[in-house]
Amino acid sequence: MMDCLDFFSIYVMTSLEILMEFWFFIGFLQKKVKSIYSIWFAAFGMTVLAVFRLQGIWAFLVFAILLVAASKLLCRADFVITVLYAVVTVEIMNLCFGLFNSLSYILFPLVFDKSPRFFGFIFMWAGNVLALALAVLCYRGVQKCCGCDETAQRKYVFLILMPVLLIFLASEYINQTFYGNTLTIEKGRILSGVNPYQILLMQILGVVSLFCVLFSYKKLAESFKRDKETELLGQQAYFLGQYVEEAKLRYEKTKSFRHDIKNHIMVVKELLRNQKTEEALQYVGGMEKLTGDLSFPVSTNHPVLDILLGNKLGIAEENQIEVRCSLAVPYPCGISDIDFCIILGNALDNAVLACSRTDSGKHKYICITGKVQGDFLLMEIENSYSGKRMIRSGTGLTNIRTAVEKYHGVMEIRTEGEKFVLSILVIIPQQ
């Protein structure tokens, strides 16, 4: 009987624990992997624990490391968030088994005298199964009540990681110090000198505290996300205001030109009629310069982008920055005008700032390229860069990434010596 119990407890239940923890851990990261990987991970984790005979906190620590390593290999998830959810995954399982350890200490002495072997088997089997069932409920609760956006998660992860680790260490200390692997019974009572009711209460408080911490984490992340959305709305209003003002200015210039066009034509006619060809050509040259102010310095086939790029690149030229633009965008396009302005507006603001920080005497330039290939829009903004400053994902890059991800796109930044390159790929919605 004991051999069966040992095999059941050590191999069967531990394998189920590992399989379940890995499955929900991947769910916490909002990733997907093939089912076969879960089975391989459970087999590998079981082998590591058996070969090295790991127990207690060392077993949980090694298992958390295995979870982090697996997520990096299979999912390429963010490292810090991975560490947090690896600890949470292991901790929930630890707390659930701790709860049923306490219940066993309370209930087992009541039936010990009747049939120790039979009830020992029942308590071990039922305790493990019920602990796994409770862990599933807790995992579901974390997924439903405490999940949040990955970008927002990263903001407060260090703030939450410390209390989560403290709860984890406290629960493991209780399990190892007060329970261990042996239960001693004499005359229907436990000889551990420990009040199991107090330990049970501590375990329950541990579970509640963990959920409170994760719920607070979610609220902080949601608050951060709302702040970012508010900031994006502010940027949208700013770019929209720029667009409206530029449109008004060009409308007034066009209106004025249209009002005077008859007079200009009449003057040219009179000059030609009087055979003053040279004067007529000079006059037409002046009109050509006047009409040049009505057109956009950049032509992308997208009126909003023409205004935005004309404004931003005009600022760059005023700062003695060479500008080159080869961007062609279909119009109308499934990508909203405001999102286009957020992406290119922030990118060009960053590029102008980077060029202004370049040492005097060095070549300063901004080069914009982009084209549509099938359902994809590829854009690349390249600019001179001092090469001395560390690239940080500030507000501008964060806003670009947020707008790009709305269209299931990706953003990549890289530096090559004194060259900074921002590459953007977005999927054009088919509407």
Side-chain angles (χ1 to χ4, degrees):
M1 175 70 74
M2 292 306 297
D3 291 340
C4 293
L5 289 176
D6 290 341
F7 179 83
F8 175 78
S9 177
I10 295 174
Y11 295 102
V12 177
M13 294 307 300
T14 303
S15 298
L16 286 175
E17 288 177 40
I18 295 174
L19 188 64
M20 182 186 301
E21 286 175 299
F22 179 78
W23 183 262
F24 281 101
F25 169 70
I26 295 299
F28 293 156
L29 297 176
Q30 300 177 9
K31 306 291 184 181
K32 291 183 179 180
V33 298
K34 295 180 180 179
S35 300
I36 189 63
Y37 291 145
S38 302
I39 299 173
W40 287 352
F41 180 82
F44 180 74
M46 189 68 229
T47 302
V48 170
L49 295 178
V51 169
F52 293 97
R53 300 179 182 276
L54 297 172
Q55 293 183 352
I57 193 169
W58 291 109
F60 289 109
L61 179 61
V62 169
F63 184 65
I65 293 173
L66 290 177
L67 286 175
V68 173
S71 70
K72 294 300 291 183
L73 290 173
L74 299 176
C75 308
R76 302 188 182 277
D78 182 87
F79 177 75
V80 179
I81 296 176
T82 299
V83 171
L84 173 64
Y85 279 116
V87 174
V88 169
T89 302
V90 175
E91 182 175 348
I92 287 176
M93 188 67 71
N94 191 34
L95 286 170
C96 291
F97 273 86
L99 282 171
F100 281 94
N101 278 341
S102 299
L103 287 174
S104 297
Y105 260 62
I106 293 171
L107 299 176
F108 190 58
L110 302 178
V111 296
F112 175 77
D113 293 333
K114 298 179 180 179
S115 179
R117 289 182 176 273
F118 173 75
F119 283 105
F121 175 80
I122 293 297
F123 268 77
M124 179 173 288
W125 183 86
N128 285 322
V129 172
L130 291 175
L132 287 177
L134 180 60
V136 171
L137 292 177
C138 291
Y139 287 144
R140 290 291 188 186
V142 172
Q143 285 182 325
K144 186 175 182 180
C145 303
C146 304
C148 48
D149 179 73
E150 182 175 327
T151 304
Q153 286 177 342
R154 198 179 299 112
K155 179 72 174 177
Y156 299 103
V157 66
F158 285 109
L159 183 65
I160 300 301
L161 188 56
M162 291 309 296
V164 169
L165 283 172
L166 287 175
I167 297 172
F168 168 72
L169 293 174
S171 63
E172 180 58 24
Y173 176 79
I174 291 172
N175 281 339
Q176 293 301 309
T177 303
F178 298 114
Y179 297 140
N181 298 320
T182 304
L183 182 66
T184 304
I185 306 292
E186 183 177 300
K187 295 182 180 179
R189 66 185 184 87
I190 299 173
L191 298 179
S192 63
V194 177
N195 187 335
Y197 296 98
Q198 293 179 349
I199 301 301
L200 177 62
L201 180 60
M202 291 174 64
Q203 296 281 2
I204 294 173
L205 289 176
V207 175
V208 174
S209 299
L210 178 62
F211 272 89
C212 289
V213 169
L214 292 176
F215 186 73
S216 301
Y217 177 46
K218 179 185 179 181
K219 290 300 180 182
L220 285 171
E222 287 178 347
S223 175
F224 171 75
K225 187 178 180 181
R226 284 195 297 269
D227 290 342
K228 295 304 298 179
E229 289 174 349
T230 302
E231 187 177 334
L232 277 175
L233 287 173
Q235 275 209 334
Q236 290 177 358
Y238 170 74
F239 286 125
L240 184 60
Q242 276 195 327
Y243 171 75
V244 170
E245 290 301 320
E246 186 72 19
K248 285 181 179 179
L249 178 62
R250 294 191 179 274
Y251 173 75
E252 291 298 329
K253 288 183 178 180
T254 304
K255 182 180 178 182
S256 176
F257 181 79
R258 289 176 60 188
H259 180 268
D260 297 333
I261 189 66
K262 292 182 179 180
N263 296 328
H264 294 313
I265 293 174
M266 182 184 67
V267 170
V268 173
K269 278 184 176 181
E270 287 298 323
L271 290 172
L272 293 175
R273 186 178 294 119
N274 295 323
Q275 297 183 350
K276 296 181 178 180
T277 308
E278 191 67 29
E279 289 83 350
L281 289 174
Q282 290 180 357
Y283 196 89
V284 171
M287 290 178 60
E288 186 178 6
K289 183 179 179 181
L290 182 62
T291 56
D293 294 336
L294 302 177
S295 61
F296 298 103
V298 176
S299 178
T300 65
N301 194 44
H302 194 294
V304 177
L305 292 188
D306 289 346
I307 292 176
L308 174 71
L309 292 175
N311 179 271
K312 296 297 182 182
L313 296 183
I315 295 174
E317 290 177 339
E318 290 175 2
N319 288 275
Q320 289 76 50
I321 300 172
E322 179 189 349
V323 296
R324 301 189 298 271
C325 182
S326 175
L327 176 63
V329 179
Y331 187 81
C333 182
I335 301 172
S336 74
D337 297 343
I338 293 297
D339 289 330
F340 257 135
C341 288
I342 288 175
I343 293 170
L344 288 175
N346 281 291
L348 291 175
D349 285 342
N350 289 343
V352 171
L353 181 61
C355 289
S356 66
R357 290 173 174 172
T358 304
D359 297 336
S360 58
K362 292 190 176 181
H363 182 217
K364 302 179 182 181
Y365 71 94
I366 298 174
C367 180
I368 307 167
T369 58
K371 60 181 179 179
V372 175
Q373 291 184 348
D375 295 335
F376 299 93
L377 171 62
L378 305 169
M379 293 184 291
E380 191 170 89
I381 297 92
E382 178 186 321
N383 59 270
S384 53
Y385 165 63
S386 65
K388 299 176 182 178
R389 292 176 176 266
M390 182 183 296
I391 303 299
R392 297 180 179 178
S393 183
T395 302
L397 290 176
T398 301
N399 290 344
I400 294 173
R401 190 186 302 277
T402 301
V404 168
E405 289 177 350
K406 285 176 60 177
Y407 301 93
H408 309 288
V410 292
M411 180 191 84
E412 180 189 52
I413 58 175
R414 67 180 187 275
T415 57
E416 301 172 3
E418 296 186 346
K419 179 173 70 175
F420 177 89
V421 181
L422 171 65
S423 299
I424 295 169
L425 171 66
V426 292
I427 299 176
I428 300 176
Q430 297 298 315
Q431 294 181 356

